[in-house]
C-alpha cells in the first residue's frame, strides 16, 4: 500500500471518528510508525509501505479513533526540542509549559552562572527538570513524584536525554525530600483541575491521562496551598518558586505567594497569551512576612 493511500485511509477514519485535524494526525502517526519526517510523505507519496508497518499504522489509527492520545500511541512526545518517553503513568508534556522553562533557563544562567540546585516537584515524565538540566548542565537537578511508575518514566528519560545523574525522590510533595535539603529553585506543574470539572475534560484526557496528576481538589488549589506553605523551608535565600497554573488561577495563586512572603512575582504567558505560570522570589528580608 502506498504512503498516499495510507494517509487518505487514515484521514478518513479519523474524520469519521470526530478527531480534529484528521489529516495532520494521520501524518503524525505515520511519521512515528515509519520513523521519518512528515516532509518525506510529500516527496515520496507513491512509495510502498511493507505489511508490518502498514498493520502497525492502522492499529495506531484505530487506537486514535478511540480517543487515545497520539503521544501514548507512539510512546513519545516532543518537549523543548527533545523526545520524551511517555505512557499512561504520566501526563503528556504540553507546549504551553515551554515558555516557563525557557524563562527559567535564562534566569538561572544569569543568577546562578556556576549552576543552580533545582527541584522539579510533581515531575511526571521529568520534562521540566530534565529540560533544565539539558540547558544548564552545571546545575544539580532532583526529580520528585508521589508515583513510583511516574518516576520510572522520568528516570528512563533522564538516562537517554541528559548526561550526569539526576536525583530521584519518591513521596508526597516535600515529605519525599530529606531534612535539611535546600534548593535555589523549586518548580512544579502540580494537579490543578477542580474536581467538579474533571468530567468536563476532553475524552482523550479524561479516559487516558492519570487522574492523580490532574485532580487539584475541590477548589483546584489544594496543591498550591501545600506547596507554597512549605516551599520556604526548602529554599535557599534568595530562592525561586515557579508554578504552572490553570485558567482563572492567577489571582488566588498570586495572593497565596504574596501571603507567604514571595516578592518580585513574575507572570509568564503561554503560547495563547494567557498567564500560565507564576515565579516568586524568597529572600531573608521577606521571610518574616509569613
Amino acid at each position: 500500500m502506498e504512503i498516499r493511500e495510507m494517509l487518505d485511509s487514515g484521514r478518513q477514519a479519523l474524520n469519521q471518528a470526530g478527531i480534529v485535524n484528521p489529516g495532520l494526525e494521520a501524518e503524525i502517526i505515520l511519521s512515528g510508525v515509519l520513523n521519518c519526517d512528515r516532509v518525506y510523505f510529500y516527496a515520496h507519496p507513491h512509495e510502498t509501505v511493507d505489511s508490518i508497518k502498514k498493520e502497525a499504522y492502522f492499529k495506531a489509527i484505530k487506537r486514535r479513533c478511540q480517543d487515545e492520545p497520539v503521544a501514548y500511541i507512539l510512546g513519545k512526545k516532543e518537549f523543548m526540542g527533545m523526545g520524551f518517553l511517555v505512557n499512561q503513568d504520566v501526563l503528556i508534556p504540553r507546549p504551553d509549559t515551554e515558555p516557563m522553562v525557557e524563562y527559567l533557563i535564562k534566569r538561572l544562567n544569569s543568577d546562578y552562572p556556576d549552576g543552580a540546585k533545582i527541584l522539579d516537584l510533581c515531575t511526571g515524565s521529568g520534562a521540566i527538570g530534565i529540560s533544565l538540566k539539558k540547558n544548564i548542565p552545571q546545575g544539580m537537578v532532583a526529580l520528585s513524584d508521589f508515583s513510583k511508575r511516574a518516576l520510572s518514566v522520568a528516570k528512563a528519560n533522564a538516562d537517554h536525554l541528559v548526561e550526569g545523574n539526576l536525583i530521584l525522590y519518591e513521596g508526597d510533595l516535600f515529605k519525599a525530600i530529606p531534612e535539611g535539603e535546600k534548593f535555589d529553585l523549586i518548580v512544579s506543574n502540580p494537579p490543578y483541575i477542580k474536581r467538579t470539572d474533571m468530567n468536563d475534560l476532553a475524552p482523550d484526557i479524561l479516559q487516558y491521562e492519570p487522574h492523580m496528576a490532574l485532580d487539584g481538589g475541590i477548589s483546584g488549589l489544594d496543591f498550591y496551598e501545600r506547596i507554597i506553605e512549605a516551599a520556604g523551608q526548602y529554599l535557599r535565600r534568595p530562592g525561586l518558586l515557579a508554578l504552572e497554573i490553570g485558567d482563572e488561577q492567577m489571582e488566588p495563586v498570586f495572593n497565596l505567594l504574596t501571603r507567604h512572603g514571595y516578592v518580585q512575582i513574575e507572570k509568564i504567558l503561554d503560547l495563547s497569551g494567557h498567564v500560565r505560570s507564576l515565579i516568586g522570589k524568597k529572600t531573608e528580608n521577606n521571610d518574616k512576612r509569613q
Side-chain angles (χ1 to χ4, degrees), residues 62-209:
K62 182 177 180 180
R63 290 169 65 182
R64 184 64 186 117
C65 287
Q66 295 170 344
D67 291 319
E68 185 172 354
V70 172
Y72 290 153
I73 295 170
L74 300 179
K76 61 184 178 180
K77 175 68 175 180
E78 183 171 317
F79 182 83
M80 292 295 293
M82 294 181 285
F84 282 83
L85 305 174
V86 294
N87 59 31
Q88 291 186 39
D89 295 321
V90 298
L91 289 183
I92 300 167
R94 264 65 171 185
D96 278 335
T97 304
E98 293 186 350
M100 176 181 71
V101 176
E102 292 167 349
Y103 172 89
L104 290 173
I105 290 168
K106 293 178 182 178
R107 178 77 177 266
L108 293 174
N109 277 323
S110 174
D111 293 358
Y112 303 92
D114 296 328
K117 192 174 180 181
I118 301 162
L119 171 63
D120 179 7
L121 202 62
C122 305
T123 190
S125 67
I128 294 175
I130 291 170
S131 296
L132 292 173
K133 178 65 175 177
K134 182 73 171 182
N135 289 275
I136 312 173
Q138 72 274 27
M140 191 288 286
V141 176
L143 310 176
S144 180
D145 204 285
F146 183 79
S147 167
K148 182 186 293 289
R149 291 185 176 182
L151 279 178
S152 178
V153 175
K155 184 179 186 305
N157 281 317
D159 287 345
H160 89 275
L161 290 174
V162 292
E163 295 182 359
N165 293 329
L166 282 79
I167 298 172
L168 302 179
Y169 294 123
E170 179 189 344
D172 183 15
L173 296 182
F174 293 106
K175 292 180 181 178
I177 311 305
E179 185 177 352
E181 198 72 51
K182 292 185 181 291
F183 302 88
D184 299 302
L185 165 70
I186 297 173
V187 58
S188 184
N189 179 11
Y192 57 68
I193 304 298
K194 290 182 180 179
R195 190 162 297 158
T196 53
D197 293 341
M198 287 288 291
N199 288 333
D200 296 329
L201 294 172
D204 55 348
I205 299 174
L206 183 62
Q207 296 175 25
Y208 292 96
E209 299 205 53

Side-chain angles (χ1 to χ4, degrees), residues 38-52:
R38 288 164 48 216
V39 175
Y40 186 86
F41 304 149
Y42 300 97
H44 306 85
H46 299 293
E47 181 175 309
T48 300
V49 178
D50 67 57
S51 60
I52 294 176

Side-chain angles (χ1 to χ4, degrees), residues 24-66:
L24 174 61
E25 295 216 5
E27 290 184 3
I28 292 172
I29 291 172
L30 186 57
S31 70
V33 171
L34 299 183
N35 194 28
C36 68
D37 192 279
R38 288 164 48 216
V39 175
Y40 186 86
F41 304 149
Y42 300 97
H44 306 85
H46 299 293
E47 181 175 309
T48 300
V49 178
D50 67 57
S51 60
I52 294 176
K53 290 181 179 178
K54 173 187 170 183
E55 182 180 2
Y57 172 71
F58 284 109
K59 281 184 177 179
I61 290 292
K62 182 177 180 180
R63 290 169 65 182
R64 184 64 186 117
C65 287
Q66 295 170 344

